[in-house]
Amino acid sequence: MSDSMMTVERFIAEQERLHPDATGTFTDVLLQLSLAAKIIARSVTKAGLVDIVGASGAKNVHGETVQKLDEYADDVIVEVVGKGGSVCGIVSEESERITTIPETYEAGPYVIAIDPLDGSSNIDVNISVGTIFSIHRKRSAGRDAQDSDALQPGAEQCAAGYVHYGSSTMMVFTTGAGVHAFTLDPSIGEFLLSHRNMKIPSPGKRIYSVNEGYTNKWTSGQQRLVERFRTGTGEEGSFSARYVGSMVADFHRTMLQGGIFMYPGTADAPRGKLRMLYEVAPMAMICEQAGGLASDGRNRILDIQPRELHERVPAYIGSPGLVELAERYLLED
Ligand code: AHM
Ligand code: MG
């Protein structure tokens, strides 16, 4: 079948057929996530048309103002995946605690971690946003998921992906066998295979992506690294700077064109801003599956054991040579 007619449903079913003992439950989680993505995409693209834009006034567990669409996206995933019979728990950037499944619904063997609408402060100015997800196998005993089921090193993730609500809506994911991207064809309401087996260009375009407004709060290693990129004085030559401020958009560009995306620690926030479970670990799995690297500046992200659901971690993700270069500079701190 030509890729242009390969729906995400069919692709996942074909992948599952390669595993004779598969029960279909894992496939169900991914399919439910793709349905939730379509429902969220419908609202995101209408955000300027209907009166659902703007802060709801509530604050999330990080003390940030919650946009209405964040809550909506969270509700959609909890409704579609949480009641779909294949997961026993959901951890979300939007909820302080794990959400378990009411007794009236079936609980399955997986736990998902979600950032339902990352970069949502960009909605008001019509900049791309995204959903980030990962799927973990339940390890604890009993029906309901425990925090420990989500608190597994990134290397244990069964799958990770993101949905990019940009000029088109794209779902990009890995189940540990390469990274594949599907673009939503709104005329038929289906995600169609658009990028099979994505590989991050290496060396790729020399692009660095970081919020330089924090320069004065960086460590000296981080400052010198960005100085090298900014002035083009290293052996790699000159660089371009690109920073949308919406991680899915910045990461997606990095996947397609190469470069390095960074969210370093600062004097005020030594662990940076991005969350291990909802943002960094899923992107790290995708990046490695595409031939890239992901580091906290010293350690491979996927090897780090998370201790808390909402913990943060500095992030250096992208083309291998540039992530290794960043690690060399940060070692000197
Ligand atoms: P959010 O989860 O509250 O939306 O914040 C995460 C976003 C990322 O998408 C992006 O990389 C980062 O915040 C940008 O932060 P900053 O404005 O500090 O550069
Ligand atoms: Mg986020």
Side-chain angles (χ1 to χ4, degrees), residues 175-188:
T175 58
V179 182
H180 311 286
F182 298 80
T183 302
L184 183 63
D185 181 339
S187 64
I188 56 169

Side-chain angles (χ1 to χ4, degrees), residues 93 115 118-120 211 214 243 245-247 263 273 275 279:
E93 193 189 288
D115 184 347
D118 183 66
S120 52
N211 187 338
Y214 303 127
Y243 191 71
S246 200
M247 188 192 192
Y263 203 108
K273 174 186 184 187
R275 291 76 170 176
E279 292 158 331

